[in-house]
Amino acid sequence: NMNYPDNIKEIEKFAKEIGIDVKYLLGEKYERGLYLRFVKSLPENIVFNARERNIDITGNAAIKSGETLLKADHLVVRFNETNGITDISGDGNIEFLKDDLSGRSGKVQWLFGKEMMILKNSPRVTKKSGGATSGKELEIDLKTNTIKILSGGSERSETIIQ
């Protein structure tokens, strides 16, 4: 367990080890940077792994980039060799918020460079302006806020337009 000041030191150390500007991780400088956000209570555990090029966040995990907020029981942020974020995966009590969209699911994969998010395990996305979509898998284009149902075959999907 880390308290917030220790967290900042850990974030700075990790950033230095993988050769990335710490401001990118703290969302202070880059439009599509990552804001390691600690909502209400701190995560139970954060592991900065420079060798694996990832950050593993367990319990009360929350990450914000631009207008997109992602919360989960467990999140893993992966970085490529050029120190950009490749993807963020998560499981357990997934909550997603962006503009007028909100969603819940059991698993998530955020393809960071493609600005796509895939919600799995009973996902449901709701628009505040009205309407909801659910299915086996939902793909959200974060550039356009469009939702694609990836459920195939005989699996049920549902779209409610209000």
Side-chain angles (χ1 to χ4, degrees):
N1 287 8
M2 294 185 250
N3 61 31
Y4 196 76
D6 290 344
N7 241 323
I8 297 298
K9 288 181 185 119
E10 285 290 315
I11 292 168
E12 288 169 348
K13 181 180 174 211
F14 176 76
K16 188 174 182 180
E17 285 175 359
I18 70 167
I20 191 170
D21 186 341
V22 71
K23 290 180 179 171
Y24 182 79
L25 292 178
L26 298 174
E28 294 172 0
K29 186 174 175 183
Y30 301 91
E31 185 180 321
R32 294 220 47 250
L34 186 69
Y35 174 37
L36 295 171
R37 185 169 191 250
F38 307 109
V39 185
K40 293 179 186 164
S41 58
L42 292 171
E44 291 167 21
N45 194 32
I46 302 177
V47 177
F48 296 87
N49 188 332
R51 189 170 58 247
E52 302 272 327
R53 302 185 73 80
N54 70 36
I55 303 171
D56 193 305
I57 309 168
T58 306
N60 298 312
I63 285 175
K64 189 170 196 284
S65 179
E67 298 300 311
T68 306
L69 173 64
L70 181 63
K71 298 180 188 179
D73 291 342
H74 178 233
L75 292 172
V76 178
V77 184
R78 291 177 195 81
F79 297 85
N80 61 23
E81 295 301 318
T82 57
N83 302 310
I85 297 164
T86 56
D87 72 296
I88 300 168
S89 60
D91 56 86
N93 297 307
I94 305 298
E95 286 183 55
F96 144 82
L97 294 167
K98 180 175 187 280
D99 302 326
D100 75 332
L101 293 179
S102 64
R104 294 182 176 276
S105 68
K107 287 191 173 294
V108 66
Q109 183 164 29
W110 183 352
L111 305 171
F112 208 76
K114 294 180 180 176
E115 294 187 58
M116 301 291 277
M117 192 176 285
I118 299 168
L119 300 174
K120 301 175 184 180
N121 290 20
S122 304
R124 183 172 182 84
V125 176
T126 306
K127 279 195 169 200
K128 285 183 191 135
S129 56
T133 303
S134 61
K136 185 180 178 194
E137 286 186 24
L138 301 178
E139 180 184 85
I140 303 161
D141 183 327
L142 298 172
K143 293 182 293 272
T144 62
N145 286 354
T146 54
I147 303 161
K148 187 195 287 183
I149 300 169
L150 300 178
S151 305
S154 61
E155 287 137 7
R156 283 184 50 94
S157 63
E158 174 186 56
T159 301
I160 301 165
I161 301 167
Q162 296 175 328

